[in-house]
Amino acid sequence: MAGTQLEPSSSDPMTAAHVDTAEVPSAAWGWSGEAPKTFRFFGWFFAAFLLTMIIGNHTGRVEDWWLVGSAALLVVILVRDIVIRRKPR
């Protein structure tokens, strides 16, 4: 009787960390974190990708300004993130 109380049954979910699923809904299916290195990589990737999209078959300059502006906004956000991470707390 005591052995069954100590061992979880196969139908009970096992929790590795004590995270309230009301606060973090993704903890219910086993992931409740972020991937900051991945997000930063894709931020730089898409900034470069937007700039390479300038090369194309369009004739107007409005598209170029939107692409450069969007890439510049991404770069500003990424540089701000680098500065914030380097400041001591």
Side-chain angles (χ1 to χ4, degrees):
M1 180 110 159
T4 59
Q5 292 176 351
L6 294 176
E7 296 177 9
S9 67
S10 61
S11 64
D12 292 339
M14 294 192 64
T15 57
H18 300 287
V19 178
D20 187 16
T21 57
E23 293 178 10
V24 184
S26 61
W29 50 270
W31 183 77
S32 63
E34 292 182 357
K37 288 183 181 181
T38 305
F39 294 153
R40 288 183 202 110
F41 169 76
F42 280 112
W44 289 110
F45 173 78
F46 282 114
F49 179 72
L50 287 172
L51 292 175
T52 59
M53 286 178 59
I54 292 173
I55 303 167
N57 61 354
H58 56 276
T59 57
R61 292 291 173 215
V62 175
E63 297 91 349
D64 292 345
W65 287 110
W66 274 101
L67 291 170
V68 170
S70 300
L73 179 65
L74 268 173
V75 169
V76 166
I77 291 170
L78 290 167
V79 168
R80 180 181 173 270
D81 180 56
I82 290 171
V83 170
I84 289 174
R85 279 188 296 133
R86 289 191 181 187
K87 284 186 179 178
R89 292 183 179 188

